[in-house]
Amino acid sequence: MIGLSLITLIGVGIRLLMMVLIQQRRERMNRQINERLRTLIAAYRTLGGSFTGDLTVDSRHKRDFRVAADTEAITTTSVLEDANTSDRARRIRDAVEAALSDIILLGTEEHVRLAERAARELVAGQRVHTHDLVVSLRNFVRQALDLAPIPSDLSIPTQGPTRVQASGGKGKDGGSEKAGGGGGNGEGGGGGMQGGGDMAMTSSQAAEHQDQITPSGH
């Protein structure tokens, strides 16, 4: 009986240990899958969050406008205006590049091939269409989440990168307001120093007046 009890305890202990190890492995795999899906879904939103407007990625930088100005004799003012208007395109390009980097890291072989082709087109200075990569990501995410495939009779419009909001002039206004506030503090400090000087002069005059009155009192 003692031997049978020891064998039973050892078997139960081994079984519990194996269950704990398997559970930890499943939890780790689930975390990895969830993180991968979260990253790919974010990349899908970045690459395919727009159905209207310009559905391509503009790979030009501000330096390209300066080179165009040098080669084509374009005025500096027009170059600066083009650079300012391309600020949103620059933000979209940066977001797309980050999304492509995530896809190359965590995507499937098909995703990596499509992302590599898009990255090469960006490096070559070409305008990039992301619709094929978006469709591949969409199918993979739906399959991973056990969702039914999209009906074939639907004609979803071509998807392009999300239009990132361009930065406004809040920074400049905020800086000017801060500078103005600093000036106000400086003026307040100056007023305080002047008021302190007036009070000091008044105290000295009162002391001199008291010295003049004291002898007469004696």
Side-chain angles (χ1 to χ4, degrees):
M1 293 296 292
I2 294 174
L4 182 61
S5 300
L6 290 176
I7 293 174
T8 304
L9 288 176
I10 293 173
V12 172
I14 293 174
R15 183 178 179 182
L16 291 176
L17 180 61
M18 292 297 296
M19 290 178 63
V20 170
L21 294 177
I22 292 174
Q23 183 67 22
Q24 291 179 351
R25 183 178 179 182
R26 287 180 178 176
E27 291 178 355
R28 184 171 61 253
M29 292 178 63
N30 289 334
R31 287 195 299 268
Q32 293 176 355
I33 293 173
N34 291 335
E35 185 65 24
R36 182 184 183 187
L37 283 177
R38 188 180 298 111
T39 302
L40 293 179
I41 289 173
Y44 170 82
R45 292 176 178 174
T46 301
L47 298 177
S50 177
F51 293 95
T52 59
D54 191 1
L55 302 181
T56 59
V57 184
D58 191 355
S59 61
R60 292 180 298 174
H61 294 259
K62 289 186 177 180
R63 63 175 179 268
D64 298 329
F65 293 98
R66 297 190 181 94
V67 171
D70 295 336
T71 56
E72 300 179 7
I74 303 176
T75 60
T76 306
T77 304
S78 62
V79 172
L80 293 177
E81 290 178 355
D82 292 338
N84 293 330
T85 55
S86 66
D87 183 69
R88 175 176 292 182
R90 177 184 62 81
R91 292 173 180 273
I92 293 175
R93 185 196 65 239
D94 294 342
V96 168
E97 288 180 353
L100 292 177
S101 178
D102 292 337
I103 293 172
I104 292 174
L105 177 64
L106 298 175
T108 61
E109 181 180 358
E110 181 183 1
H111 300 156
V112 173
R113 290 184 181 277
L114 293 173
E116 183 265 346
R117 186 179 67 183
R120 286 187 176 276
E121 292 177 352
L122 282 175
V123 173
Q126 302 175 3
R127 300 182 71 88
V128 180
H129 296 269
T130 60
H131 180 69
D132 295 338
L133 181 55
V134 168
V135 172
S136 179
L137 287 172
R138 182 176 61 205
N139 295 334
F140 173 78
V141 171
R142 293 185 66 88
Q143 183 179 1
L145 296 177
D146 292 332
L147 299 176
I150 295 178
S152 58
D153 58 340
L154 297 180
S155 57
I156 299 177
T158 303
Q159 295 178 247
T162 302
R163 291 189 292 273
V164 182
Q165 295 294 331
S167 60
K170 294 182 179 180
K172 297 180 180 179
D173 296 337
S176 63
E177 290 177 3
K178 186 179 293 186
N185 293 331
E187 292 176 359
M193 293 175 62
Q194 184 177 0
D198 294 341
M199 292 178 64
M201 291 178 62
T202 304
S203 300
S204 61
Q205 291 176 0
E208 292 177 358
H209 183 66
Q210 184 67 25
D211 293 338
Q212 294 175 1
I213 295 176
T214 302
S216 61
H218 288 292

